[in-house]
Amino acid sequence: LAFCRGRVVRVPKGPLIRVVGTEVVIPCSVSDYDGPSEQNFDWEFSRDTDFVRIVSTWDSTFTSEEYQKRVGHGDIKLRRSSNDAVELVIRNIQPTDQGRYKCSTPSTDATVQGNYDAEVQVKVISDGLSVSGSKARSSMSLRLSEGDSFKLRCSAITISPEHTHLHVTWQIKSGSTWRDILSLTHEGKFQPGSGYEERYRNGDIRLDTGANDTYQLSVSQASSVDGGAYRCLVSEWVRGADSSWQKIQEKSVDIANVAIQRTDVVISTSNVSVTERDSLDLTCNITTDRSGIFQAELMWYFSVSPDDTLSDAQVLLSMDHDSVVSDSTLISLSHIDRNSYRLLVRDVDVEDSGYYFCQAAVWVPLRNGSWHKVVERTSAPVSVVVTALEPDYEVFLNASKTPKFSDDPTELNCRITNAQDMEANIRFTVSWYYRQRLRSDDVVTEELLATMDADWTLLLGDRSRERTQNGEIIFSKRAVDTFSLRIQWTSESDRGDYFCVISAWSRHRNNSWVKSKDVPSASVSIFWATQDYTLTVEAVKLKPFFVAGHTFEMTCKVSSKNIKTPRYSVLITAEKPLTDQSNPNGTTRIISLNQDSVVRLEDWTDQTRVDGVVLEKVQENEFRYRMYQTQISDAGLYRCVVTAWSPGGGGMWREAVNGLSNPIQIDFQMSGPVFNVSVHSDNPTIYQGELADLLCIVTTEGMALEPDDMSFDVSWFAVRSFALDREPVLLSSLDRRGIVTQSRRNGSSDLSLERISPLEFRLRVHGCEDHDFGNHYCVVTPWVRSATGVWQREPDIKAKPIFLSVKMDVLNAFKYPLLIGIGLATVIGLLSCLIGYCSSRWCCKKEVQETRRERRRLMSMEMD
């Protein structure tokens, strides 16, 4: 396929009809060309056959002599609109300018293709359009009232030899610009201007045609925006050869200057301040120059904000244009004069504070006797402040508890004093504030801790919300005139200034509470000096000389400073010789006691002496450590590691400081016997109801003692489980004086405890039951009489438990149930037989008559 492509020069399709004396603009453009993007143009004119050069974009000598003057004065010029388009502009066109205009473009193409010029015919006609005002008078002046109606007229006629159409537009000038009001287009359509669409649809603005080519603008419900200069703008249009409309000329005439007198509604007084229980007097004035008959419609509004709309505001009272006033008990509306209306509110309350404004509408009578609303205005709001009858009182803040250390409680009491003129409808609430203390002069804003509203609902601030919810801060009302703030555990971040604000609330007519007064207290400073914690620990050895097997005792005495109500946790450590291969590090953690007096074995691994170490609290600052049945391997240096704790928030404890005592060395001196205890039973497995014998046997090693020089306290315990995971239960005890004590028992079995030899003690369980099973052991406390005759108590010795198993005797268990069952079965069987016999004998017997037969016996042959 082959395509033909070449330069195309275009001008409007003619003829172009223009009115003499107007400006003509003829565009010319070129497309599909080669060469530079910016093209040059030449314009020529011909009345008959020959063309005369007019103007060129690239050759200043192109213009012929007869056009040089007009081109030089700018009456004829070229205006470039783009690189490939220009416009020929001819000002004040004359009949001699009628003819053919040719637009040419010099070739910049590689090959000559297409057209390089185009012609258009221009026809110049005479001016036949005339525009005038009403009765050909100059512009008039109208002074109207807001809401009035007015009409303006203009006349437009054309005697053009061509078939032209008129476009009539009414315009208003407000300021320096003209705005379109309403137009009748050259196509016969009505077109309202911007901002006048709704009024045109409502019929408030109309454009009517009348006789003698008149055009009348009618405006109803005139407002202040309708004031200004009015003119009638008429343009003449003709349809071109391409069926498009072209405006050939335009004329205008000033019609009138209209002034609209605005109707204003104002409240005579500005901002008003009245006292509670007084009366509020407001006057609404309507400003208008209307002299005819009219009636006013009035409505009073109240709102809490000056920005509220009428739909959000509350209607207080209203009066229609027939002077009918709506009813109200405490509010009245009266007509002072023709343009003034008075609002009276009696017995005002604090809740009446707000913004008052009135809305007025002016009604005028029509010819048919009905009334027509011409204007409506709303006044600016007037602020009314009702001052409450404030109660007179003072506020005093004192600290009933002040902290001296961190975590001490703080309690502040805010009291109302010197209260006067108190009414029954007064209620007090409190707000608590905190202000941080700074060493510099920087201004620190207070922080809200908590506040109470009128119904005593507590509202927490960000600073205290979490701690109050956790119970660390308590806000309370102790009495009618006393509010308290208590900080359970005061921290260093709580140091600062505190003050309270007592608010008085008054109850209004609708039972709502409104704050009437705030009275702050003087601030109270909460502060204490902080000092470094000090802790001193001293270890004392109670027995300077002892031998292996004896008990080692030492005490740890603690003293502290600058710690509030301290508690101590103690850890006993032992530093063994480096030759001890069991502990290469040299230090062993033996036993600890925390600040809550809970004992815990740490690294004590001697299973045979699980209860061989004891750490106990003697006094608040003194602790005693005991190690029973000491061995040679226990030699070393023993220390007390003490940690001081101070009470923290929420009942918790926080670590304050650590301390280490002096070392105590263990030296062994062998003397005295060593006691051992064991439990034995010949038959640890028995049946229910049988007798169980358990022996507690004491043996001695080392130095022998006479039986009269030693005595024992023996206690028997039982753990009712297989794994020793329950608390032991005391069964019975025998002191060294031979007094037996037994614990209360729930079962039917019985116990007996006796001494059968100087070193043997027997526990008997009579009539064993299944709940008597478990691990049984004895605890022996030796007492040794010294050479001076003084009895000394040795450490308690606990025997290894023995498990007592109680089985069920099946034969004895089922003997009585079997006998009872057999007996019952026999009785029931005999009873059944008896019942059957009686029934067959007397109840079911039948009479049967049979033929009597003679029976004869055969005689024995011997008798024969």
Side-chain angles (χ1 to χ4, degrees):
L1 297 176
F3 295 92
C4 295
R5 180 179 178 275
R7 178 186 294 260
V8 178
V9 178
R10 294 184 180 90
V11 293
K13 189 176 181 179
L16 301 179
I17 300 175
R18 296 296 183 265
V19 178
V20 63
T22 61
E23 182 180 87
V24 179
V25 178
I26 306 174
C28 177
S29 63
V30 61
S31 62
D32 299 333
Y33 57 88
D34 296 333
S37 60
E38 183 176 285
Q39 294 290 300
N40 291 309
F41 297 86
D42 298 332
W43 282 91
E44 296 177 290
F45 170 71
S46 173
R47 293 187 184 90
D48 297 322
T49 57
D50 298 332
F51 281 91
V52 180
R53 293 176 294 181
I54 303 176
V55 67
S56 173
T57 60
W58 62 285
D59 188 2
S60 61
T61 62
F62 180 79
T63 305
S64 63
E65 184 177 354
E66 61 178 293
Y67 284 102
Q68 288 180 357
K69 185 176 180 180
R70 297 178 66 183
V71 172
H73 290 167
D75 293 336
I76 298 176
K77 62 181 180 179
L78 284 179
R79 186 166 57 201
R80 182 178 290 276
S81 56
S82 65
N83 288 337
D84 55 2
V86 296
E87 293 176 343
L88 175 64
V89 181
I90 303 175
R91 295 179 181 176
N92 192 20
I93 193 170
Q94 297 298 319
T96 56
D97 295 324
Q98 179 174 295
R100 290 179 295 129
Y101 289 83
K102 181 172 66 175
C103 176
S104 303
T105 59
S107 175
T108 59
D109 302 328
T111 59
V112 177
Q113 290 183 355
N115 67 311
Y116 288 81
D117 58 58
E119 297 182 7
V120 62
Q121 179 71 28
V122 176
K123 184 177 181 180
V124 181
I125 63 176
S126 60
D127 183 6
L129 177 64
S130 62
V131 181
S132 62
S134 178
K135 298 181 181 181
R137 298 185 302 177
S138 59
S139 61
M140 57 181 178
S141 297
L142 297 177
R143 186 176 182 85
L144 305 173
S145 297
E146 195 171 13
D148 289 348
S149 302
F150 64 93
K151 298 179 180 179
L152 302 176
R153 294 182 182 87
C154 77
S155 176
I157 188 171
T158 179
I159 55 174
S160 173
E162 298 292 331
H163 183 67
T164 59
H165 290 236
L166 297 182
H167 183 119
V168 180
T169 301
W170 280 95
Q171 293 181 322
I172 182 174
K173 184 179 182 181
S174 55
S176 60
T177 59
W178 290 93
R179 293 185 294 112
D180 292 347
I181 301 175
L182 187 59
S183 301
L184 177 60
T185 67
H186 52 278
E187 295 179 325
K189 299 178 181 179
F190 289 101
Q191 181 178 344
S194 177
Y196 289 89
E197 296 86 349
E198 185 175 357
R199 297 181 67 184
Y200 170 72
R201 289 192 296 267
N202 296 336
D204 292 338
I205 296 178
R206 303 192 316 275
L207 198 160
D208 303 319
T209 59
N212 300 326
D213 299 313
T214 59
Y215 299 87
Q216 177 177 278
L217 175 67
S218 300
V219 179
S220 302
Q221 298 290 327
S223 62
S224 57
V225 298
D226 295 325
Y230 285 77
R231 76 175 181 179
C232 181
L233 179 66
V234 182
S235 57
E236 191 172 7
W237 295 70
V238 65
R239 189 183 293 273
D242 57 354
S243 298
S244 64
W245 287 98
Q246 301 174 8
K247 184 168 66 172
I248 58 177
Q249 70 168 328
E250 185 178 76
K251 293 183 179 180
S252 65
V253 60
D254 294 337
I255 302 301
N257 288 317
V258 178
I260 304 298
Q261 178 65 32
R262 177 181 173 87
T263 300
D264 289 328
V265 177
V266 296
I267 299 178
S268 59
T269 58
S270 56
N271 296 340
V272 181
S273 178
V274 294
T275 306
E276 192 176 10
R277 307 286 189 267
D278 288 347
S279 297
L280 174 64
D281 191 351
L282 299 175
T283 303
C284 182
N285 295 322
I286 303 175
T287 303
T288 179
D289 60 350
R290 193 178 298 276
S291 58
I293 299 175
F294 70 90
Q295 290 288 347
E297 180 183 46
L298 200 70
M299 188 172 294
W300 280 92
Y301 290 90
F302 168 79
S303 67
V304 296
S305 172
D307 301 326
D308 285 349
T309 60
L310 291 179
S311 59
D312 299 329
Q314 174 188 354
V315 179
L316 297 178
L317 213 59
S318 63
M319 182 187 71
D320 60 12
H321 61 273
D322 293 328
S323 298
V324 178
V325 181
S326 59
D327 187 19
S328 180
T329 304
L330 299 176
I331 306 175
S332 62
L333 180 63
S334 59
H335 195 176
I336 300 176
D337 55 32
R338 186 182 184 189
N339 297 335
S340 301
Y341 299 86
R342 177 188 180 191
L343 174 71
L344 182 64
V345 182
R346 294 178 294 273
D347 192 20
V348 294
D349 207 340
V350 176
E351 62 184 6
D352 295 325
S353 297
Y355 295 88
Y356 292 76
F357 53 94
C358 62
Q359 184 187 57
V362 177
W363 295 71
V364 296
L366 300 179
R367 295 179 180 178
N368 59 2
S370 62
W371 290 85
H372 174 65
K373 182 166 65 174
V374 295
V375 67
E376 188 176 61
R377 284 287 180 272
T378 303
S379 70
V382 171
S383 175
V384 174
V385 178
V386 178
T387 304
L389 297 174
E390 296 182 352
D392 187 13
Y393 60 94
E394 296 178 358
V395 178
F396 175 72
L397 177 65
N398 71 308
S400 59
K401 291 185 179 180
T402 56
K404 297 181 180 179
F405 297 95
S406 179
D407 299 323
D408 277 357
T410 299
E411 186 168 336
L412 304 176
N413 295 321
C414 185
R415 291 184 297 175
I416 304 171
T417 60
N418 300 330
Q420 299 177 2
D421 300 330
M422 294 293 104
E423 299 182 4
N425 294 330
I426 297 296
R427 176 179 291 180
F428 293 101
T429 61
V430 68
S431 299
W432 291 94
Y433 292 90
Y434 163 80
R435 186 186 301 114
Q436 184 180 5
R437 283 185 71 180
L438 297 179
R439 296 179 180 178
S440 60
D441 295 333
D442 296 340
V443 178
V444 180
T445 58
E446 59 270 5
E447 298 181 57
L448 176 66
L449 299 179
T451 184
M452 292 181 180
D453 56 14
D455 58 355
W456 291 312
T457 300
L458 186 65
L459 305 176
L460 301 175
D462 295 336
R463 180 181 178 86
S464 63
R465 179 175 291 108
E466 182 177 356
R467 296 178 65 187
T468 303
Q469 294 172 351
N470 295 336
E472 299 178 25
I473 299 179
I474 300 174
F475 300 94
S476 61
K477 182 179 181 182
R478 292 194 166 184
V480 177
D481 58 349
T482 304
F483 300 89
S484 67
L485 162 63
R486 180 180 175 88
I487 303 176
Q488 299 284 68
W489 304 280
T490 311
S491 62
E492 295 183 2
S493 61
D494 295 325
R495 295 187 298 180
D497 295 333
Y498 292 80
F499 66 95
C500 61
V501 177
I502 297 295
S503 303
W505 299 74
S506 302
R507 180 157 54 186
H508 289 179
R509 293 189 300 262
N510 60 356
N511 290 326
S512 65
W513 293 90
V514 177
K515 185 186 296 186
S516 59
K517 189 176 183 181
D518 286 334
V519 177
S521 70
S523 61
V524 172
S525 178
I526 301 299
F527 184 80
W528 67 91
T530 58
Q531 297 179 357
D532 294 336
Y533 299 141
T534 59
L535 183 66
T536 303
V537 183
E538 180 185 4
V540 178
K541 185 177 181 181
L542 297 183
K543 294 183 180 181
F545 303 102
F546 60 94
V547 296
H550 280 196
T551 301
F552 167 72
E553 292 187 23
M554 74 174 185
T555 60
C556 300
K557 295 184 178 180
V558 185
S559 61
S560 61
K561 293 182 179 180
N562 304 324
I563 304 177
K564 170 224 168 182
T565 59
R567 285 192 182 180
Y568 305 103
S569 61
V570 181
L571 172 66
I572 303 299
T573 63
E575 298 180 10
K576 301 298 183 64
L578 296 178
T579 56
D580 187 358
Q581 299 298 325
S582 63
N583 186 11
N585 295 327
T587 301
T588 303
R589 297 160 53 93
I590 301 178
I591 191 171
S592 64
L593 183 144
N594 66 7
Q595 67 273 15
D596 294 324
S597 300
V598 177
V599 179
R600 175 185 175 186
L601 288 175
E602 299 292 339
D603 299 334
W604 184 260
T605 57
D606 192 349
Q607 297 299 325
T608 61
R609 293 190 298 161
V610 175
D611 297 331
V613 289
V614 175
L615 179 60
E616 58 185 352
K617 183 177 181 180
V618 181
Q619 297 179 5
E620 286 296 328
N621 61 342
E622 184 176 353
F623 302 86
R624 180 166 56 200
Y625 169 66
R626 288 178 179 177
M627 182 166 56
Y628 301 108
Q629 300 179 2
T630 55
Q631 301 177 5
I632 301 300
S633 59
D634 295 329
L637 298 178
Y638 287 75
R639 298 178 186 268
C640 298
V641 180
V642 179
T643 301
W645 301 79
S646 63
M652 304 298 292
W653 292 90
R654 60 184 182 89
E655 182 177 342
V657 66
N658 296 318
L660 184 65
S661 72
N662 56 297
I664 298 297
Q665 186 174 8
I666 291 183
D667 290 330
F668 290 101
Q669 295 181 5
M670 302 301 295
S671 63
V674 176
F675 296 94
N676 295 315
V677 180
S678 61
V679 177
H680 174 74
S681 176
D682 293 335
N683 189 14
T685 302
I686 59 176
Y687 291 96
Q688 289 184 355
E690 293 184 350
L691 175 67
D693 283 343
L694 300 175
L695 294 178
C696 181
I697 302 173
V698 181
T699 60
T700 61
E701 297 178 2
M703 183 180 66
L705 292 177
E706 293 294 331
D708 294 339
D709 292 335
M710 55 184 177
S711 182
F712 305 95
D713 290 339
V714 179
S715 299
W716 280 92
F717 294 88
V719 180
R720 306 301 185 190
S721 67
F722 294 93
L724 296 174
D725 55 352
R726 294 185 181 180
E727 290 293 330
V729 177
L730 176 65
L731 300 178
S732 182
S733 63
L734 174 67
D735 64 8
R736 60 193 181 95
R737 298 179 179 85
I739 299 175
V740 178
T741 304
Q742 293 187 1
S743 62
R744 180 178 297 179
R745 298 176 56 81
N746 296 326
S748 60
S749 61
D750 197 6
L751 297 175
S752 64
L753 178 59
E754 59 182 343
R755 178 179 179 180
I756 60 176
S757 71
L759 298 177
E760 291 183 356
F761 301 87
R762 180 170 60 190
L763 174 68
R764 284 185 173 182
V765 182
H766 303 273
C768 289
E769 298 179 355
D770 55 353
H771 60 78
D772 291 321
F773 86 101
N775 288 281
H776 292 67
Y777 63 91
C778 64
V779 176
V780 177
T781 305
W783 292 80
V784 179
R785 183 161 55 186
S786 64
T788 60
V790 178
W791 290 91
Q792 293 182 354
R793 180 177 178 177
E794 298 292 328
D796 293 343
I797 306 172
K798 177 181 176 183
K800 184 178 180 181
I802 186 172
F803 188 78
L804 180 63
S805 177
V806 181
K807 294 183 178 182
M808 179 184 295
D809 190 348
V810 179
L811 179 60
N812 292 330
F814 289 97
K815 179 172 63 176
Y816 293 107
L818 286 174
L819 293 176
I820 293 173
I822 292 172
L824 289 176
T826 302
V827 171
I828 293 173
L830 294 174
L831 184 60
S832 300
C833 293
L834 180 61
I835 293 172
Y837 174 77
C838 294
S839 298
S840 63
R841 180 68 177 165
W842 288 287
C843 298
C844 301
K845 183 178 181 182
K846 295 182 180 180
E847 295 291 337
V848 180
Q849 294 182 0
E850 296 180 355
T851 303
R852 186 173 182 180
R853 297 178 182 178
E854 185 177 353
R855 296 181 179 180
R856 294 182 179 180
R857 295 182 178 180
L858 295 178
M859 298 177 63
S860 173
M861 292 184 66
E862 288 80 4
M863 294 180 62
D864 188 33

